[in-house]
Amino acid sequence: MGRAAQVRMLREALTRAAGGAFTIVEISGEAGMGKTRMLSVLADLATSAGLPVHSGRATEFEQGVPYGCLTDLLPSNPATPGGCYAGLRSLLSGAALLLDDLHWADSASLELVEHLIRKPPPGPNLIAVAFRSGQAQPGVSAAIGRHAGAAARIVLPPLTENEAGPLLGDLPAGHRAMVVAAGAGNPLYLHTLRELSSRTLSALTASSADLDRAAPGAHPALAGLAAEVAARPAPVRRVAEATAVIGGHVTLDLLTDVTGLTSTQVGAAIDDLHRIRVIDADGPRPGFRHPLIRAAVLELTGPARRTEIHAGAARHLRRRHGPRHLIAHHYERSAQSGDEEAAEILAGAGVAYAHRAPAQAARWLGAALRVMPDHEEYAEKRAFVALWHARALCRSGRLLESRATLDGLRQGPLRRQAEMFSVVVARQLGDFAEAAALLERRLDNQGGFDAGTEVKLRIELATIEVFREDAAAATDHAGQALKLLADGCGHRPGLTASAQVLHALGSIYGGDLPSARRGLTAAARTVDAVGDGDLRAEVEIVAPLVLAEIWLGRLSEAERHLHRVRRMLELLGPHHAFPYLLIFDAAWNVRTGQLTTALTMAEDAAEAARRIGSPELEAMAEVVRLRPLLWTAGPAAASEAATRLAHRDRPRSAAWSRMARLSHAQIRLFAGDPAGCLTLLGQDEWPAHQPLTVARHAFRALAHARIRAPARAAGPGSARAAGPGSARAAGPGSARVSDPAPARMAGRGGARAPARAEGDPAISGLAAAWAEVHRAEAVAIVSGLDYEIALAGYIRGYVAFRAGSGQPGAILAAAERFASARAPVEQAICLHLAGNVHQRAGHPAKAGRAHDAARAGYAAAGADWLGTTLPEPAPGLTVREREIVELVAEGLSNKEIAGRLFLSARTVESHLRRVFIKLDVRSRTGLIRRLDQA
């Protein structure tokens, strides 16, 4: 009632879904505003349209139950590997999923819902979620935001007095007015208040302004309902209390067991509560009509009685072999110190759910430690549970708590396992020195572990050294691991692939690219031969594999490996390796010119890193985000992100810190601060032959070429000819610094500007730029990598352009090399520069074609800001007109132009008349002057 516009939105959303599109419906409103009723309408509409409907509902008092709002949709044991994600995706293909009260959902349910929205099941399907206003879950909201065109966002406002009329029926006018005044347009309150007496309503009216903001259970009307329950006979009260405490998984036999009543008494009590509209009992499980009513009844149930009910529910479910997570849920709220049975159940549930629902697992394991007997014979068992508690804390984002727990275990019976997991925690916190010290100390104490354990230690140390950019140490540890594996450590393809990838990555950092290529080929072969089941345990290794493949230009192989791991994770759901893989997926999309996708993935990676509490991974994600942010949004937005990263959230890894500095230096160039670029890329030592070193020399060359350039700029240095080679943005380095004055066009071919005097600051800047060009070319040639060779070619062309000369052929060759390296943005930047060179040389037709190609490249990649730096095309000139204008600039007569283009002189004259009109000039001299000023 009163929701015609909102129901119309539901119908439109369902029409899209039934037509084959993935559709999201988001319903929000205050408590009691009708969200559940809207979902019910949607369910009826979906059923009529032929879509199977699956429903779930979160509850306030079961937020510690993993997958609580999806209980009826999942296997009885959702901890089964891959069961919940793969099973639910299959179930929802061609169906509708409606989830109510998502603001109360547990973290495991939220992650699964977010996953389903980000990666929708195949076929026509619809997902609808309802939550209270202002209580949307950030991850789910962000996932919905990615489907803006497919999302229907419905907000339920209070009903007006006219809209509320049908709810109030034939109430007397005076009574009706009091209900309206007290109900504040809330359908639930109106429905409840109409049952109260006029005297009670009169007392409530004074505080009506606060009704819709009252805390659960504190609303006077709901308190009145609870009071009515309190007035019922004792058996009815006991059933109401037990139903409120147990929640959505309550059953008749469970109520009978917990309350101590007979089944006949329980049935009669439920019928009584149904008659007074407290409970709905039409299905197999009785439930409260509204969560607020349940909250009101729960408040009447004292804490001791609640503990008693939880304990009874735990015993009942255990006898009936009920789901482990529900038994743990009740034991967590009822177990007393020294309860060995409860400790065993809680610990078992915590271990089972440590990967699938780590936040809940951490609570159960903590509760197990709290109730576990504290005597010597339990020491090893306590250590075991504490170690799993540390793992669950780590995976749920509580890294500092995890480290504190592990510190306490380093002197106990599981000290070695504690030390190894401490390495994982330290790595995610960015404490690489601590991680390395722990591993080296373990290696120094050679006793007590076999070759397989040493392999794992060596691989972990190689990983740390890669982050620290110690190439020699990384390749040494990875090489020793490979030797141990070859000497009979057993068939361990996952570990072999890990060692091969880390050896290749260490070789790249050390500049030994032939060794890197051999190692990467072997690693890819090993990974490809490993089945998904075996790779799942070592899925983290795909991230550095992809990084190495990107650097060595093996983009197709990187794409194939990313596709495989995406498919695996869609079935597995959230995984501790997820942020790593998203980071390198984003990097692949940056390289291949899919900038919008890259930004989304980098933001998702940062969010996933925050979820597991890893500042280092979050910083890595922000580093990958900088370059696409620059190209799409411009230097202002990118500078803000880079400055924040430099001053507050800088990566602690040496390798990633270097990459952050390179991106920040590039941004400083685009922002017109070449001196700032040079400061960031100072004189400190860089590895001699690694790919990043080419970029370092390139940016330094661009910066030197721009320092203290003269203020006058025309043609490609003008404000309109901005972008690569221009005043506003010079390729992968840039500016708001003017270019040197270009050659002026006058008569046949034009005349050059006078040479500068020796000692001119720009001359010394160019000398330094040329030195950096030579260094970049030397490293690029040794690398043999298309991308780096193309980058060196680009900066040679750019520095030559700044020096007053220009070789468009060489610049176009660099563009072709970038194309073969699958770097379309850099290819477009080269075309942009080539257009500027042509324009300065007085070849507007060639300049226009190059700029048009650059414009198309920028648009295809989503490089919106780079597109704005291109010069405006001449107003409406055709290709033929541009060709004629170019020949006029060269000084050819109409007859000569006609002969060159195989046209008649009259045709040339006609074209020129149209050009004069379009460019608002009156003569060939005016045309040349206009081109000179363009």
Side-chain angles (χ1 to χ4, degrees):
M1 298 176 182
R3 304 297 192 199
Q6 289 84 358
V7 171
R8 185 166 57 251
M9 293 175 70
L10 292 182
R11 292 183 187 278
E12 292 169 354
L14 191 60
T15 298
R16 290 197 299 271
F22 172 64
T23 306
I24 296 284
V25 175
E26 176 190 282
I27 303 172
S28 62
E30 298 293 339
M33 206 59 76
K35 301 181 292 297
T36 301
R37 177 61 182 148
M38 293 297 290
L39 287 177
S40 176
V41 170
L42 181 58
D44 292 341
L45 293 172
T47 300
S48 300
L51 283 182
V53 175
H54 304 284
S55 300
R57 184 175 194 168
T59 61
E60 181 181 8
F61 308 104
E62 280 76 47
Q63 294 181 63
V65 179
Y67 308 104
C69 68
L70 302 166
T71 298
D72 293 336
L73 307 180
L74 296 174
S76 60
N77 182 9
T80 303
C84 32
Y85 282 75
L88 196 53
R89 283 177 62 82
S90 175
L91 181 70
L92 296 181
S93 180
L97 173 65
L98 314 183
L99 299 173
D100 202 0
D101 289 331
L102 206 65
H103 50 279
W104 280 328
D106 59 278
S107 59
S109 292
L110 289 171
E111 288 186 0
L112 178 46
V113 172
E114 180 184 342
H115 176 79
L116 289 170
I117 295 173
R118 290 185 185 276
K119 303 287 184 182
N125 54 79
L126 177 147
I127 296 178
V129 298
F131 51 82
R132 287 191 186 167
S133 298
Q135 297 184 36
Q137 297 297 329
V140 173
S141 290
I144 293 174
R146 294 180 63 176
H147 300 279
R153 297 179 182 266
I154 298 174
V155 178
L156 301 179
L159 299 177
T160 65
E161 184 173 352
N162 288 337
E163 291 169 341
L167 283 173
L168 304 180
D170 55 356
L171 290 178
H175 193 90
R176 181 188 184 116
M178 285 190 287
V179 170
V180 169
N186 185 300
L188 173 66
Y189 297 168
L190 292 168
H191 192 75
T192 300
L193 292 166
R194 60 169 291 155
E195 306 297 326
L196 302 182
S197 67
S198 296
R199 175 182 291 183
T200 304
L201 281 171
S202 180
L204 291 175
T205 303
S207 60
S208 62
D210 296 324
L211 291 178
D212 60 336
R213 292 189 295 274
H219 191 288
L222 296 182
L225 279 178
E228 187 171 5
V229 170
R232 312 308 288 179
V236 177
R237 289 200 313 272
R238 290 178 70 83
V239 169
E241 290 169 352
T243 304
V245 170
I246 295 168
H249 54 279
V250 69
T251 58
L252 294 179
D253 60 336
L254 178 53
L255 285 173
T256 301
D257 200 349
V258 167
T259 59
L261 302 171
T262 66
S263 58
T264 302
Q265 289 174 305
V266 169
I270 289 173
D271 288 343
D272 190 13
L273 292 167
H274 182 76
R275 278 194 297 272
I276 63 173
R277 301 189 195 180
V278 171
I279 280 179
D280 283 331
D282 292 334
R285 293 177 177 172
F288 286 89
R289 287 177 47 243
H290 193 277
L292 294 181
I293 301 176
R294 179 188 174 193
V297 174
L298 195 63
E299 282 195 356
L300 293 178
T301 310
R305 175 63 181 146
R306 289 198 295 268
T307 300
E308 180 185 336
I309 293 170
H310 280 301
R315 289 192 299 270
H316 172 90
L317 290 169
R318 189 170 189 190
R319 284 197 303 271
R320 300 293 182 90
H321 303 288
R324 174 185 278 169
H325 64 289
L326 294 182
I327 301 172
H329 165 69
H330 289 294
Y331 266 134
E332 182 190 354
R333 287 157 176 77
S334 63
Q336 304 299 310
S337 180
D339 189 334
E340 297 181 29
E341 179 183 274
E344 181 182 344
I345 288 290
L346 288 164
V351 170
Y353 280 80
H355 295 282
R356 188 67 53 196
Q360 280 78 25
R363 289 175 54 177
W364 292 334
L365 290 160
L369 291 169
R370 173 176 54 82
V371 303
M372 188 175 288
D374 189 14
H375 46 74
E376 191 61 32
E377 66 184 79
Y378 268 83
E380 188 165 347
K381 186 176 290 187
R382 285 187 68 85
F384 174 83
V385 174
L387 181 61
W388 276 99
H389 188 216
R391 288 170 175 161
L393 288 169
C394 171
R395 293 192 173 101
S396 60
R398 296 156 67 182
L399 292 176
L400 295 178
E401 293 175 66
S402 177
R403 181 159 67 179
T405 301
L406 291 166
D407 287 345
L409 290 171
R410 287 191 195 168
Q411 305 302 319
L414 299 180
R415 60 185 179 278
R416 288 175 178 168
Q417 293 93 320
E419 285 180 351
M420 285 300 294
F421 199 76
S422 294
V423 172
V424 175
V425 174
R427 178 151 52 90
Q428 293 194 15
L429 286 168
D431 293 334
F432 299 106
E434 177 188 341
L438 286 168
L439 289 166
E440 287 164 356
R441 185 170 65 197
R442 182 81 193 279
L443 272 177
D444 288 342
N445 182 15
Q446 289 287 331
F449 59 79
D450 57 15
T453 302
E454 184 177 350
V455 166
K456 293 178 182 178
L457 288 169
R458 296 284 182 189
I459 288 174
E460 191 63 50
L461 259 172
T463 303
I464 299 299
E465 300 302 356
V466 163
F467 277 107
R468 297 170 77 183
E469 213 176 39
D470 188 334
T475 53
D476 177 59
H477 287 301
Q480 291 192 56
L482 287 170
K483 185 176 184 302
L484 287 166
L485 287 163
D487 287 345
C489 228
H491 180 63
R492 301 192 178 187
L495 293 177
T496 300
S498 298
Q500 289 169 331
V501 168
L502 292 166
H503 194 279
L505 207 51
S507 298
I508 291 173
Y509 282 138
D512 184 359
L513 297 190
S515 176
R517 290 187 177 94
R518 291 192 299 271
L520 195 59
T521 299
R525 190 182 301 120
T526 303
V527 168
D528 293 342
V530 174
D532 284 359
D534 291 330
L535 183 60
R536 190 174 291 125
E538 306 291 340
V539 72
E540 266 184 280
I541 201 57
V542 177
L545 172 65
V546 167
L547 176 62
E549 287 173 331
I550 292 172
W551 272 356
L552 294 186
R554 300 182 179 185
L555 298 180
S556 296
E557 290 87 344
E559 181 179 23
R560 179 166 51 80
H561 291 130
L562 283 168
H563 176 76
R564 181 183 179 188
V565 83
R566 281 191 212 112
R567 175 174 49 80
M568 289 173 59
L569 290 179
E570 282 177 10
L571 298 176
L572 285 174
H575 188 279
H576 65 277
F578 203 44
Y580 282 110
L581 294 160
L582 281 172
I583 287 166
F584 296 114
D585 208 338
W588 184 88
N589 279 277
V590 174
R591 173 63 175 270
T592 57
Q594 301 172 73
L595 302 183
T596 302
T597 302
L599 281 172
T600 299
M601 286 193 165
E603 290 160 3
D604 288 351
E607 176 60 34
R610 283 191 288 272
R611 186 176 296 148
I612 67 170
S614 175
E616 184 67 14
L617 289 178
E618 185 178 353
M620 289 165 59
E622 292 296 332
V623 171
V624 173
R625 180 172 168 262
L626 290 178
R627 194 155 33 132
L629 184 63
L630 170 64
W631 288 341
T632 58
S639 292
E640 181 181 350
T643 301
R644 182 173 62 249
L645 190 64
H647 292 126
R648 192 183 68 194
D649 304 320
R650 181 185 304 171
R652 300 176 70 178
S653 153
W656 281 88
S657 178
R658 195 182 300 280
M659 285 187 265
R661 286 165 59 197
L662 276 172
S663 293
H664 196 175
Q666 185 180 28
I667 291 165
R668 296 319 311 150
L669 280 169
F670 273 92
D673 180 16
C677 168
L678 290 172
T679 298
L680 283 163
L681 304 179
Q683 300 300 324
D684 57 311
E685 289 292 324
W686 282 56
H689 299 295
Q690 68 165 240
L692 289 180
T693 304
V694 178
R696 188 241 189 170
H697 290 313
F699 295 161
R700 285 179 60 83
L702 294 167
H704 279 302
R706 300 205 64 84
I707 285 182
R708 301 183 66 179
R712 171 71 175 96
S718 71
R720 291 197 302 135
S726 80
R728 286 202 293 165
S734 95
R736 283 190 181 274
V737 180
S738 302
D739 279 308
R744 312 285 284 181
M745 291 176 287
R748 187 183 295 269
R752 295 284 175 188
R756 300 184 188 87
E758 257 185 84
D760 187 325
I763 295 293
S764 61
L766 287 170
W770 280 119
E772 294 290 352
V773 169
H774 297 322
R775 295 184 187 106
E777 288 176 333
V779 179
I781 290 169
V782 170
S783 77
L785 298 173
D786 278 345
Y787 185 95
E788 280 63 32
I789 293 171
L791 181 56
Y794 169 79
I795 62 168
R796 170 171 282 278
Y798 180 77
V799 174
F801 173 77
R802 298 290 296 190
S805 62
Q807 300 173 326
I811 297 168
L812 291 173
E816 291 177 7
R817 182 83 73 159
F818 273 131
S820 68
R822 293 180 66 181
V825 178
E826 291 87 343
Q827 178 190 9
I829 286 172
C830 281
L831 294 168
H832 191 159
L833 176 59
N836 290 353
V837 173
H838 282 306
Q839 185 170 315
R840 185 170 68 182
H843 302 145
K846 292 179 181 177
R849 285 193 292 270
H851 283 155
D852 287 347
R855 187 173 289 107
Y858 290 154
D864 296 340
W865 180 80
L866 280 177
T868 68
T869 67
L870 278 158
E872 294 293 331
L877 292 188
T878 66
V879 173
R880 178 65 77 190
E881 288 167 351
R882 287 180 179 179
E883 289 176 336
I884 291 171
V885 167
E886 181 176 315
L887 295 174
V888 168
E890 291 184 10
L892 272 65
S893 67
N894 286 1
K895 184 177 179 180
E896 289 171 324
I897 294 171
R900 181 81 64 87
L901 299 179
F902 303 100
L903 302 173
S904 69
R906 181 170 295 179
T907 299
V908 172
E909 290 172 4
S910 298
H911 278 304
L912 273 176
R913 280 196 297 271
R914 286 194 291 271
V915 169
F916 290 168
I917 293 170
K918 290 178 179 180
L919 298 184
D920 194 22
V921 297
R922 297 184 180 182
S923 65
R924 292 165 66 95
T925 302
L927 174 60
I928 291 172
R929 186 180 301 114
R930 170 68 185 273
L931 294 173
D932 190 30
Q933 295 170 350

